[in-house]
Amino acid sequence: MSIAWDDLRTVMMLVRHRSLAAAAKALDVNYTTVARRIRRAETTLNQRLFERLPDGYQATEAAQLMAKHASQMEDAEHSLMRHLQGSESALSGPLTITAPQLLIAKFLVPVIDQFAKTFPQIELRVLATNDLLDLTRREADLAIRISRSPGDTLTGLRLLSQHSASFCSPQVAERIAADASAVINWVVYDSHPDVPKGISDDFPNNRVYLRFDDMVAMVGAAQAGLGVVRMPMFLGRCSAGLVQVPVLPPQPYADIWVVGHPDVWPSKKVEAFRKILIKRCRADRQKFIG
């Protein structure tokens, strides 16, 4: 009796996620494929692996045991593939990088363009997300992160120090300059719902006007004249229709890092991207600080 790796991995994913749809998404297949593999595994083993409940699939003891061993096999597979990738010397084949959306749009696009033109044989894939992708599980080969702690188990370089400051539309800036004592409307991030600390004493009247859960939306609100936004200085300087106002003097903000798994870091493709990225950061470092 033996079970195919695809079926074993599918059992593991259904144990983790408890629904066909979620397991299918993790495996990048459709949910009917997951259901078919589970039925095949149960037939091969001649035992039930999951209880079909209204709120999801509940794993039996057999399924949990299979998932435990499959996870160990998955870790070994990832380790092997990372080591093979780290030893690659060819400047060809796939390379996946990840970075926050706004950092890509406002700063990294020229880096990506230069890299693609310099190394046309490398199939570059860019994942634009604020999520911290798991480099151990090879969700990406290289990550550019805005963080004070980019990952203790990763190899990395600090690319840039940066500051934040206050930005708004020119019309709002004119009103602030005309009357520093007037009420200043702030557009703030949902996880930091209060007026920012460190506001200059020259501007005594401040209130939270709007709260958002997304910085892209906050930039748009500032451009539309809805209020003042605290944001990284590079973002304010690179966003059309925004000007810096002295309401909030420049303050230290989280650094920008490039990180990778130690096994993958030596790869020639990863090294080639880092070199272009580092050169760009050194040339433009003044955009990021006050």
Side-chain angles (χ1 to χ4, degrees):
M1 179 177 62
S2 63
I3 184 170
W5 168 235
D6 279 347
D7 294 350
L8 183 57
R9 187 169 59 159
T10 299
V11 171
M12 174 184 68
M13 288 300 181
L14 191 53
V15 170
R16 288 178 181 173
H17 298 287
R18 295 200 64 198
S19 80
L20 295 178
K25 182 177 180 181
L27 292 164
D28 196 24
V29 298
N30 59 55
Y31 75 92
T32 58
T33 298
V34 174
R36 183 176 67 252
R37 289 177 180 175
I38 295 300
R39 288 195 301 271
R40 186 166 60 199
E42 290 182 328
T43 299
T44 299
L45 299 172
N46 194 29
Q47 60 180 303
R48 182 176 289 275
L49 298 176
F50 295 91
E51 299 295 336
R52 281 70 166 173
L53 302 177
D55 62 341
Y57 280 61
Q58 181 174 320
T60 64
E61 289 186 8
Q64 291 172 357
L65 179 62
M66 292 173 66
K68 176 182 177 181
H69 286 272
S71 181
Q72 294 170 353
M73 294 168 63
E74 183 186 48
D75 290 344
E77 180 188 27
H78 285 313
S79 178
L80 171 61
M81 297 308 296
R82 288 196 312 268
H83 279 91
L84 289 174
Q85 186 175 0
S87 65
E88 286 180 338
S89 58
L91 292 171
S92 61
L95 177 68
T96 301
I97 66 167
T98 180
Q101 297 96 320
L102 282 169
L103 191 61
I104 293 172
K106 301 297 184 180
F107 181 67
L108 292 177
V109 165
V111 174
I112 294 167
D113 182 46
Q114 182 183 349
F115 181 81
K117 289 176 178 175
T118 305
F119 303 103
Q121 299 304 313
I122 296 179
E123 304 159 20
L124 184 62
R125 181 184 182 214
V126 181
L127 302 179
T129 177
N130 289 318
D131 296 337
L132 299 182
L133 300 188
D134 191 340
L135 304 189
T136 298
R137 293 185 175 274
R138 301 185 300 120
E139 293 180 350
D141 304 316
L142 201 65
I144 297 100
R145 293 178 175 171
I146 299 175
S147 177
R148 292 181 173 87
S149 178
D152 293 340
T153 63
L154 302 175
T155 299
L157 292 170
R158 181 164 49 196
L159 295 170
L160 293 160
S161 297
Q162 60 174 339
H163 291 156
S164 64
S166 49
F167 291 84
C168 61
S169 68
Q171 295 79 9
V172 173
E174 289 175 5
R175 292 200 296 269
I176 292 172
D179 185 3
S181 64
V183 173
I184 295 174
N185 291 327
W186 282 88
V187 177
V188 301
Y189 202 70
D190 214 22
S191 60
H192 297 83
D194 300 320
V195 171
K197 296 179 181 179
I199 292 175
S200 170
D201 293 337
D202 295 332
F203 305 93
N205 294 318
N206 297 269
R207 68 168 183 172
V208 172
Y209 182 59
L210 293 170
R211 296 194 331 212
F212 286 83
D213 66 348
D214 179 78
M215 182 56 76
V216 175
M218 292 169 67
V219 171
Q223 291 168 325
L226 302 186
V228 179
V229 176
R230 173 183 177 263
M231 66 181 72
M233 296 192 74
F234 88 90
L235 180 57
R237 289 167 170 171
C238 294
S239 298
L242 293 183
V243 296
Q244 184 178 344
V245 286
V247 181
L248 185 71
Q251 299 176 338
Y253 195 68
D255 297 328
I256 299 175
W257 296 74
V258 58
V259 297
H261 193 280
D263 296 343
V264 178
W265 192 259
S267 163
K268 293 300 181 183
K269 288 182 290 187
V270 171
E271 180 184 13
F273 188 89
R274 286 200 313 267
K275 286 182 177 179
I276 293 176
L277 174 64
I278 290 169
K279 184 177 180 180
R280 172 77 178 190
C281 289
R282 287 174 177 169
D284 289 351
R285 65 180 57 180
Q286 291 304 316
K287 292 181 179 179
F288 291 79
I289 57 176

